[in-house]
Amino acid sequence: MYRKKTSLANATFTRNIIMAAIFSTKRATRRCFPNKWKITTSWYICLLLFQHPIFIESFRIQGSQDEYDPFSPYETGNVGNTNDPEIPQRERTNPGYIETLRQMITVGKNRLQSCPGMVGPIPTTTTETSGEEHYYCLGKEYGYCDRRTGTCFCNTGYTGLSCNECAPTHIRVGELCYPSKRCPNDCSYNGFCDRLTGRCECSIYRSGLDCSELKCSLYHEFCIGCKEYHEEEQEKQIGEVEEGDFNNNIDGICVQCAQGYTVNASAPPGQQCISCHQTFDPRCMECNTTSCLSCVDLLLTSVRRSGKRKVDPELPPNELERELSVTVPFGSQQLNAFDEAEYYFVVEEVDDDENKILPLNESAHVCHQGLNRDASQTCYPTYVSNIVCGNHGTITFSSPTYEVYEDEEHLRLTIRRSGGGVGLVSVSYEIQHITTNQDDVSPTAFYTSNQTVVFHHGQVQASFLITIHDDRIVEENETFVINLYEPTGYSTLGNQMRAIVTIIDDDATRTCSGRSLVVTSSLSNKGKFGTHQRSIAGQSSLFNILATSCLGERQAVGGDLFAVLALTRDYGEEHEIYDFARPTLDGRVLGTIVDCGGGEYTSTVNVTASGTYDLHAYHIIPGGLRGWYYSDPFFSEDNLVSSRIDAIVNFTWGAGQVAVGAGTDYASIRWEGFVMPSFSE
């Protein structure tokens, strides 16, 4: 549609044309004066307006010589009437629409557009617009046609270019669209919902307004499918019923039970659905009257997420204690609630009676290595809920974190295997140091160097020892990680496949050699410390040792071991200072120690030869010998790989490494320290 400012010549009309327009009809007068002024000389006013030459705005006429001249920007023209400007909805200007204000416009050829499926003109019958013509899309019920744009404006419930489709909120009945009504509870997904009436048409086995009532519940509360007997089947059924039970006979049979149940048609009414969970295994989801057919992880049921349904089995104790790496809130629909679900299958029995594997709960056991101070395992029976449903296992640590004091020598780690312990599997482990090193921890106990844990059939848990080396150095707590890897026998690793171990340092409160004091007995009672004492040869000299912790605090209890030596000043290096087995040698005297309690010790030294002696007090620290590990057989300092305290020197390395980095074939070890016998004869 075009419009332009016309010239004076084109805008001037003759008196005869104007007069003809004025004296047309009352309807034309109403168009000329939209506000319906009641005047008697309306034709005269219009005559005066058009007698004078003026500029007017009009639409460009197609086919004229100036049809393609450019428009001047932002020119105004008569484009129709508008309603309230505060209402942002699109204006409806369909000439056939009753409430649309009419306007007098001059149009040329093909001025009005056609809508898809347009019908009309259709005259109106209302008093106010009698005789006017309207245009619709397909029909008055579907929508009206805006002929200026060729667009269909659909009535409520209709959509599409020609308003030929029903909106999602409506349904088609015949050729028209009617509002869609919801049915109660969506008919419990067991019936057809009549959207026109909002009523349910239930399946043959359901009843109630929302189809929630089972007609088949007479046979069993979980019977969801049943049928009536034919006449001959009914006679047969009645003939098999004993005389006293005739009144309990019913004219039908259950043919389908809910998930987790199977049909037992020979059972009396009310008992025709057998629970697969109770009969075969808590994880059995499909069965017949003789065996379980398929299994499922109970994590996939709704019990843990949204509560137990009537049809769900009770969770066994080990499922209630089952730990997951992700905590899903109760009632949540998060998909990661199923991430740790496992695949379960029906375990097949073997014919060999000696290697019988079913039922799984009768062969389940746990094993602990090292209880006999060797690599053998000590096993005990344990409880599992698996009977015929199982898998090869998901292997995890029983705890994600462990703590151990530095002086405990060993730490026992526990690995769990799910799935009821089906078959022979194994898993390996390794240590990953964080703030520790190989001087602080060894991956095995002294009786083995094997870092692979084997699970035999039925074994659902295994524990083993690793060695903690005490260094008697005051330091921060240290941390390392143990990782599981390389599962075999179709087993898999769970999310808890690593454990963080913290070694708690306990040296700060122990007796510290550098802070403990040796004083003369005469001065210690006065709180004074002496560094020299004059004694007579052949008479005993008394000294006190005051045990002090590394924090500088006096010890409140005894229990420490000390050795005191009196050595002459000329006692040479060729002599063995630390030979505590022989009390006296030339130039050397070994004193005796008495634990007085409260962290105080009394030492008696009897020097029989005159001279000047130096008194040496040694703190004997129990806990093992210090071992120096080399990666060659020659004790080369350049090949030193570890220096640690071994509480036990009784190794069985087998084919494994002597120490991490020391190799398996060529290595050398040197131990230093003192050995105190348990008794002396």
Side-chain angles (χ1 to χ4, degrees), residues 304-373:
R304 295 186 64 152
R305 294 188 304 117
S306 56
K308 181 181 179 297
R309 301 171 299 178
K310 193 173 183 180
V311 71
D312 288 326
E314 295 288 345
L315 290 181
N318 56 340
E319 282 292 332
L320 293 174
E321 299 171 358
R322 184 175 179 180
E323 296 180 354
L324 304 175
S325 60
V326 177
T327 301
V328 180
F330 186 77
S332 170
Q333 298 298 320
Q334 295 176 216
L335 294 180
N336 59 356
F338 308 112
D339 286 352
E340 296 178 61
E342 303 176 18
Y343 168 71
Y344 280 84
F345 55 86
V346 179
V347 181
E348 297 181 359
E349 181 61 282
V350 297
D351 296 332
D352 188 359
D353 293 337
E354 296 182 358
N355 299 317
K356 187 176 180 180
I357 63 175
L358 291 179
L360 296 175
N361 57 349
E362 293 185 2
S363 60
H365 58 277
V366 299
C367 297
H368 306 287
Q369 186 188 63
L371 297 184
N372 299 320
R373 299 182 69 82

Side-chain angles (χ1 to χ4, degrees), residues 636-654:
S636 301
E637 293 296 331
D638 295 338
N639 293 323
L640 178 66
V641 296
S642 178
S643 174
R644 71 192 191 196
I645 295 178
D646 292 323
I648 299 175
V649 182
N650 184 22
F651 295 98
T652 304
W653 290 301

Side-chain angles (χ1 to χ4, degrees), residues 586-641:
D586 293 339
R588 174 182 178 279
V589 178
L590 178 65
T592 59
I593 300 293
V594 177
D595 187 348
C596 301
E600 186 170 345
Y601 302 83
T602 300
S603 173
T604 302
V605 180
N606 188 358
V607 179
T608 58
S610 61
T612 302
Y613 292 82
D614 291 329
L615 187 67
H616 296 261
Y618 298 95
H619 184 199
I620 308 299
I621 302 175
L625 304 177
R626 176 169 292 278
W628 306 83
Y629 291 77
Y630 302 87
S631 59
D632 63 17
F634 308 111
F635 303 97
S636 301
E637 293 296 331
D638 295 338
N639 293 323
L640 178 66
V641 296

Side-chain angles (χ1 to χ4, degrees), residues 653-674:
W653 290 301
Q657 294 188 60
V658 173
V660 177
T664 59
D665 297 324
Y666 299 100
S668 55
I669 311 171
R670 182 178 69 247
W671 286 282
E672 295 180 352
F674 302 97

Side-chain angles (χ1 to χ4, degrees), residues 50 61 67 73 90 120-121 152 265 286 354 374 378 417 464 511 526 540 552 628 652:
F50 288 100
I61 300 176
E67 177 181 0
R90 178 177 178 177
C152 289
E286 184 181 0
E354 296 182 358
D374 56 24
T378 305
R417 174 195 184 191
F464 59 93
T511 300
K526 300 178 182 179
S540 298
W628 306 83
T652 304

Side-chain angles (χ1 to χ4, degrees), residues 283 295-301 319 322 340-342 344:
R283 296 163 184 81
C295 305
V296 69
D297 192 337
L298 293 177
L299 185 63
L300 298 178
T301 65
E319 282 292 332
R322 184 175 179 180
E340 296 178 61
E342 303 176 18
Y344 280 84

